Amino acid sequence: GSSVLCSVVGPAEVKIRDEKLDKATLDVVARPLVGLPGVKDKAREQAIRETLEPLVLSGLHPRTGIQIVVQTMKDDGCVLSTAFNATILALLDAGIPLKSILGSVTCIIDSKTNQILLDPTTEELALAKSTHVFVFDNKTSVSSTQQENDNMDQDNADSALGAVLFSDSTGLFTEEEYFECAQVCFKATQAVHGFIRTAVQKKLEKEYQQIQA
Amino acid sequence: MASIAAEQETPAGPQIVLPGDLLPSSDSGLLDDAPAAPVIKLGPGLQPMDDDTIIAVKAGTLKHAAVGNRWWIESNQRRYVAAPGESVVGVVVGKTVDHYKIDIGTAQPALLGVLAFEGASKRNKPDIKIGALVYCRVSLANKDMEAELECFNPTTGKADGYGELKSGFVIKTSLGLARRLLDPKTLILRLLGQHVPFETAIGMNGKIWINSTSPKHTILICNAIKNSEYLNAQECTTMVKSLIERL
């Protein structure tokens, strides 16, 4: 599997030319496994920065900078999803105020079997007809009419989709395939959110041991 | 705040929240504490949203004090954001005619007025060198300006422990550990005090100043405090014992 190391420093001092009067400036740096950062890393930086900008409550820290550095440690496919998940965990650890958390999952549609495969490895990515990266937040954006019908209509509940914060798809696919992938990834993202919650819980339990004793 | 707080206990334990979690709605019964005071006071970690809901913006434990129907999140981080009334340990990094520039770990250095000391006047100003340590109180802090500090207790006008810290050593810890050290229920400082005499100034900005009779003792205390962050009472006792034995 892939592995990414993410560090978050902030709210810290920022150069006057990068200063924003009413918000914090988000600076994302993505470093590859080997070599100098290239276009792919710049694209990764932009994806992370633009997805996080509406999520971070930067109005609480004007004229400061928040620097996020994402370093790829192992590359076996899905590095962007791994980077998203690592970033949100680092932001939680750094205590940066956020409107919600996010979770990211990658899936592919296999060219031979036409099946949807989650978390593809580099090998599986090579055989993919299309690749889809999704990022969801932890608030289900079910419309109010759907909510009323939820108890009566199980189909509606199954087709409920969370708010998509980021979506990147490459390859050949139909509209139905795209929405099916979105559904599958949404369900898988619940597991990512669950993991984040468990990780936070475990850390807090360890911190409070002395006081509760 | 911690001393009069009641933890928000669910049957499974304290309620852990993540950003995006809504504060319990009024029908869950958790906001019923003060019927005479329907106003909810929000502390750190909670933000009201445009649609009249309240969401958590930090990961941590949801806390509630019945007095004044106050709600807040206890979270941990290493970066300090200034808040008025907190005591902090800082380093003097600059000096002008009216104030000292103090680095307290915030994005911008804070300002300590040259006359913000006990018994200071235009003719009797304290002389603190650049690089010196000071223990002060945050008198003014908001998100748009540099924080302002003072070296006296505003209610009494006396120094009350604030001022320059001479000799000793400063370590940087997380904000949560610093807050827990200020709580008398935390074991580590009492444990260390039984073996080694020392004095300490705990800054809520995560900087802790320690001074004792010899550098060996100072280093031992610093290491013990840093190690104690994730240990329970039993492990703390064992850790301190093993450090003392090696003295």
Side-chain angles (χ1 to χ4, degrees):
Chain A
S2 304
S3 166
V4 154
L5 181 65
C6 177
S7 93
V8 167
V9 176
E13 197 153 4
V14 68
K15 291 199 194 85
I16 297 199
R17 64 156 192 223
D18 297 327
E19 211 177 59
K20 283 196 211 159
L21 282 181
D22 57 342
K23 295 173 147 197
T25 311
L26 221 66
D27 177 34
V28 183
V29 176
R31 297 212 175 281
L33 185 62
V34 286
L36 291 166
V39 175
K40 212 172 183 174
D41 306 289
K42 278 276 172 275
R44 208 169 280 157
E45 285 172 16
Q46 187 186 35
I48 295 176
R49 188 181 55 247
E50 297 197 346
T51 312
L52 283 174
E53 234 150 42
L55 237 58
V56 171
L57 281 162
S58 50
L60 292 177
H61 300 294
R63 292 167 55 236
T64 66
I66 299 171
Q67 186 183 56
I68 302 169
V69 180
V70 167
Q71 166 73 61
T72 313
M73 306 287 278
K74 258 201 304 183
D75 189 345
D76 191 22
C78 314
V79 172
L80 184 57
S81 275
T82 319
F84 268 118
N85 295 331
T87 305
I88 198 70
L89 281 165
L91 284 169
L92 287 178
D93 200 48
I96 307 284
L98 302 164
K99 275 198 202 127
S100 73
I101 59 169
L102 55 78
S104 175
V105 172
T106 306
C107 77
I108 57 162
I109 300 183
D110 190 84
S111 48
K112 294 209 193 104
T113 63
N114 261 351
Q115 269 187 318
I116 298 178
L117 291 173
L118 287 172
D119 295 332
T121 61
T122 315
E123 273 180 35
E124 291 167 339
L125 280 167
L127 304 167
K129 207 166 48 157
S130 62
T131 312
H132 306 266
V133 180
F134 284 98
V135 175
F136 295 98
D137 72 3
N138 60 342
K139 296 188 221 184
T140 13
S141 65
V142 181
S143 69
S144 51
T145 42
Q146 255 191 320
Q147 252 179 336
E148 282 156 28
N149 295 332
D150 255 347
N151 299 325
M152 302 189 287
D153 189 358
Q154 192 53 37
D155 284 339
N156 258 355
D158 281 340
S159 65
L161 202 63
V164 179
L165 297 177
F166 175 83
S167 163
D168 185 44
S169 304
T170 51
L172 254 84
F173 53 92
T174 66
E175 203 178 308
E176 288 86 37
E177 284 178 335
Y178 175 76
F179 284 111
E180 218 193 310
C181 285
Q183 284 293 340
V184 172
C185 285
F186 176 62
K187 293 208 180 97
T189 312
Q190 307 310 303
V192 176
H193 289 151
F195 171 77
I196 294 175
R197 200 170 283 271
T198 316
V200 167
Q201 205 157 338
K202 288 220 168 104
K203 179 165 185 256
L204 286 169
E205 277 168 17
K206 277 170 68 172
E207 282 176 1
Y208 278 85
Q209 282 180 98
Q210 271 194 61
I211 290 205
Q212 262 141 27
Chain B
M1 243 187 191
S3 51
I4 48 167
E7 236 176 54
Q8 195 53 39
E9 296 269 348
T10 62
Q15 190 177 354
I16 301 208
V17 290
L18 289 180
D21 288 352
L22 290 168
L23 195 65
S25 60
S26 33
D27 14 284
S28 71
L30 284 168
L31 298 183
D32 282 355
D33 280 48
V39 177
I40 301 172
K41 294 220 176 82
L42 298 180
L46 293 169
Q47 287 284 321
M49 291 281 116
D50 292 330
D51 53 357
D52 276 342
T53 55
I54 300 168
I55 60 162
V57 294
K58 299 216 178 167
T61 326
L62 184 63
K63 298 274 192 170
H64 170 57
V67 181
N69 202 15
R70 292 186 292 203
W71 296 79
W72 72 96
I73 308 255
E74 287 250 354
S75 63
N76 198 2
Q77 59 189 68
R78 289 188 69 92
R79 251 287 141 177
Y80 179 60
V81 174
E86 297 190 335
S87 306
V88 292
V89 168
V91 182
V92 180
V93 292
K95 196 171 170 177
T96 71
V97 175
D98 317 295
H99 54 251
Y100 295 101
K101 261 214 175 96
I102 312 272
D103 171 22
I104 54 172
T106 50
Q108 306 277 348
L111 302 173
L112 171 63
V114 143
L115 297 177
F117 292 81
E118 179 189 354
S121 65
K122 280 213 185 116
R123 272 188 262 167
N124 177 19
K125 284 192 251 195
D127 177 33
I128 307 183
K129 304 269 184 295
I130 294 189
L133 288 164
V134 281
Y135 191 53
C136 17
R137 190 185 164 276
V138 180
S139 59
L140 176 72
N142 60 46
K143 61 191 171 107
D144 298 297
M145 284 164 40
E146 294 152 327
E148 283 177 22
L149 311 168
E150 60 193 8
C151 268
F152 61 88
N153 186 336
T155 42
T156 64
K158 302 270 175 211
D160 275 353
Y162 295 121
E164 191 180 349
L165 297 168
K166 302 221 165 77
S167 103
F169 189 67
V170 169
I171 55 168
K172 174 89 181 68
T173 68
S174 68
L175 304 190
L177 179 62
R179 264 181 264 132
R180 268 175 276 141
L181 288 172
L182 287 167
D183 188 331
K185 281 187 268 171
T186 310
L187 187 61
I188 185 71
L189 291 178
R190 263 181 288 141
L191 213 50
L192 287 166
Q194 289 165 5
H195 301 277
V196 183
F198 67 99
E199 55 171 345
T200 175
I202 299 170
M204 295 191 65
N205 55 341
K207 298 216 174 113
I208 301 171
W209 176 80
I210 294 146
N211 189 24
S212 72
T213 46
S214 77
K216 242 197 317 190
H217 290 156
T218 310
I219 292 174
L220 182 145
I221 297 163
C222 291
N223 287 336
I225 291 176
K226 273 202 235 174
N227 291 343
S228 73
E229 180 152 18
Y230 297 115
L231 301 179
N232 63 30
Q234 181 57 40
E235 291 163 344
C236 257
T237 323
T238 327
M239 185 254 308
V240 171
K241 211 185 267 182
S242 69
L243 285 175
I244 298 282
E245 275 163 13
R246 275 192 257 154
L247 250 186

